[in-house]
Amino acid sequence: MRLSDLRGRSVAVWGTGREGRAAVTAVAAHGPAELVAVDDSANFLSLDWSGPLAEVAPLVTGEEGFARLAAADVVVRSPGVPQTHPWLVELRRRGVTVTGGSALWMADHAARTVGVTGSKGKSTTSSLISHLLTALDQPNVFGGNIGVPLLDLPEAELYVLELSSYQCSDLTDSPRVAVVTALFPEHLDAHGGEREYYRDKLNLLAHGPETVVVNGTDERLAVELGDRPAVRAGRPDGFHVAPGPDGGPWFHAADRPLFPRTTLPLVGAHNAGNLCVALAVLDALGVDVPARSDEVAAAVTAFQGLAHRLTEIADPSGLTFVDDTLATSPYAAMHAIDAYADRPLTVIVGGTDRGLDYTPLREHLADREITVIGIPDSGPRIVEALAGLPRVRAELADDLVAAVRLSRKLTPADGVVLLSPAAPSYGRFRNFEHRSEVFAEAVRDTA
């Protein structure tokens, strides 16, 4: 379904955050017979609804909101509305057509788009792709889940998009190059379960992409893909990391060394994997990476890591404090812990308790010497899950500030204090940015 298909039809836009506002503006320009905005009381992404938006799409709330959704020819769902929402389940049972702003946009722009999703690494990888293309004289527009709704993007010859599972789930067109960086259980409450999450995530690949690029070292992703044709980055026959001419790790294109691993300023094996995926995407777009390896290396060196993802904070004590607040699952925290495997490490964990299984984290730390500090709400449960591991020292703190203070006492002078909470931020913080701010202030105030 395209935006042009909405002309003369009754449309209800569900959600009044950034995505909902963008959808109303875009749909209104295509002449619907009727247009309303609906906001249920659970939508915490709501913004003020007044002025021109309210004139073209009156806002309806409460039970009347459901009635208007059910009566519409087409419902445009904002990504923040979970697949498990009772209203959404009932609308689909009744056969109401439900789509999303991302799907409407993709129907018109798929052939010019690189779409990147993944349970971990999608932000960094999509940013790397956009950055490298720009440096190699291939202008592109970057947007999506990273902060710019697709329906707000300007016209361009090439797009690079970060796409969440919520956005992928509604797509009926795949981008020209469809990219998946990693796959592990995440957002299960919003999708209805692990199988449903994988289905929605991999819907990105389900509608005839020209090229599929994946992280070929991700075992769960390999199982889900089966024998589907795909470029599998990280393997020896493609872009991967292996010993180079100086004996140290280098990025390679098959058997051809490109540049040293130290060229990439981001720590962690997962970030090296993200770059391998990005290089494979460049290759799929016709960039001769080996022939232009010097230019690519210069662009890689200039890449700035994204905030809240293994962001190091300087400290006069000699400790390295690291903000990885966007690590909201045990799997993401495991990647972060591995990035500092060669240094004494204290990791601060805990946040909103979604009932996640922390057994994978326990198994990952079984032979690791590490200090873990748990903070509310899920911290005590994580600490309990780690009980009995002989080389894990586990402590509890009342809050994030107290955890930072305790970490200074428990971490050797050359060590790392890592905020990688394995849980979301909402509940005790306004959002993940607020959690980062509190962490950074605590580091400064306890110095």
Side-chain angles (χ1 to χ4, degrees):
M1 178 176 289
R2 290 174 159 80
L3 281 165
S4 58
D5 296 329
L6 302 180
R7 185 176 302 278
R9 307 179 76 178
S10 64
V11 180
V13 173
W14 187 0
T16 58
R18 286 181 300 188
E19 293 277 352
R21 297 166 79 88
V24 163
T25 300
V27 172
H30 286 78
E34 181 183 27
L35 180 60
V36 298
V38 174
D39 193 10
D40 65 279
S41 59
N43 190 348
F44 65 92
L45 296 174
S46 302
L47 300 172
D48 177 60
W49 199 263
S50 59
L53 282 173
E55 293 176 11
V56 299
L59 177 62
V60 182
T61 60
E63 290 303 317
E64 183 186 353
F66 174 75
R68 298 303 291 270
L69 292 172
D73 294 326
V74 179
V75 171
V76 180
R77 174 188 74 94
S78 293
V81 177
Q83 296 286 358
T84 53
H85 195 296
W87 288 6
L88 188 56
V89 173
E90 177 62 17
L91 291 173
R92 287 187 164 136
R93 189 191 69 81
R94 296 187 185 191
V96 176
T97 298
V98 180
T99 186
S102 299
L104 292 169
W105 183 93
M106 191 70 76
D108 288 319
H109 298 87
R112 291 176 275 160
T113 299
V114 176
V116 183
T117 196
S119 305
K120 174 74 175 175
K122 62 184 180 293
S123 299
T124 297
T125 302
S126 56
S127 298
L128 265 168
I129 294 167
S130 178
H131 169 80
L132 294 176
L133 287 170
T134 300
L136 297 173
D137 301 318
Q138 293 202 27
N140 60 92
V141 168
F142 182 41
N145 187 59
I146 204 157
V148 182
L150 273 59
L151 289 172
D152 277 344
L153 296 177
E155 282 300 310
E157 291 300 313
L158 180 62
Y159 298 90
V160 178
L161 306 179
E162 179 197 333
L163 298 170
S164 69
S165 54
Y166 311 123
Q167 291 169 304
C168 291
S169 64
D170 291 322
L171 297 181
T172 53
D173 300 86
S174 291
R176 172 186 169 187
V177 181
V179 184
V180 186
T181 60
L183 202 61
F184 53 73
E186 180 71 298
H187 307 305
L188 303 188
D189 51 342
H191 291 271
E194 186 170 343
R195 297 307 318 159
E196 291 80 3
Y197 169 69
Y198 296 158
R199 175 202 65 201
D200 291 346
K201 199 76 163 169
L202 295 180
N203 189 48
L204 181 74
L205 316 180
H207 308 284
E210 181 179 301
T211 305
V212 173
V213 177
V214 301
N215 174 4
T217 67
D218 188 288
E219 295 180 2
R220 184 175 283 102
L221 181 52
V223 170
E224 294 297 323
L225 288 174
D227 58 359
R228 172 191 287 273
V231 177
R232 299 174 190 256
R235 294 186 173 183
D237 59 346
F239 293 97
H240 67 288
V241 177
D246 60 4
W250 279 52
F251 289 98
H252 289 66
D255 59 356
R256 179 170 175 175
L258 299 175
F259 42 81
R261 167 64 179 86
T262 53
T263 303
L264 178 66
L266 308 183
V267 301
H270 64 292
N271 278 320
N274 291 336
L275 179 55
C276 290
V277 171
L279 295 176
V281 171
L282 265 60
D283 181 72
L285 293 173
V287 176
D288 189 339
V289 174
R292 304 182 69 178
S293 61
D294 289 345
E295 295 173 80
V296 174
V300 169
T301 300
F303 181 72
Q304 299 295 315
L306 302 177
H308 319 298
R309 299 165 178 84
L310 294 180
T311 303
E312 296 189 357
I313 302 172
D315 188 76
S317 68
L319 292 175
T320 301
F321 286 86
V322 182
D323 174 14
D324 193 43
T325 192
L326 282 173
T328 57
S329 77
Y331 298 92
M334 286 151 52
H335 282 299
I337 289 167
D338 286 349
Y340 293 95
D342 59 343
R343 297 178 62 184
L345 180 62
T346 296
V347 59
I348 299 173
V349 298
T352 305
D353 194 342
R354 297 178 294 171
L356 296 178
D357 179 11
Y358 288 101
T359 303
L361 181 61
R362 176 186 174 86
E363 293 172 350
H364 194 71
L365 298 181
D367 298 318
R368 178 70 189 264
E369 185 171 348
I370 190 172
T371 298
V372 176
I373 301 175
I375 61 175
D377 294 319
S378 60
R381 197 163 65 80
I382 298 173
V383 165
E384 182 180 357
L386 302 179
L389 293 180
R391 305 180 68 194
V392 174
R393 175 174 182 173
E395 303 281 351
L396 293 175
D398 291 337
D399 54 33
L400 183 52
V401 175
V404 171
R405 188 178 297 112
L406 179 59
S407 73
R408 288 191 177 277
K409 299 177 181 178
L410 301 180
T411 312
D414 60 341
V416 174
V417 178
L418 170 66
L419 172 63
S420 195
S425 57
Y426 44 81
R428 292 177 179 264
F429 301 94
R430 293 189 301 273
N431 46 41
F432 69 87
E433 292 97 340
H434 182 211
R435 180 160 63 182
S436 287
E437 291 170 8
V438 171
F439 180 62
E441 289 173 4
V443 172
R444 290 193 298 269
D445 292 347
T446 59

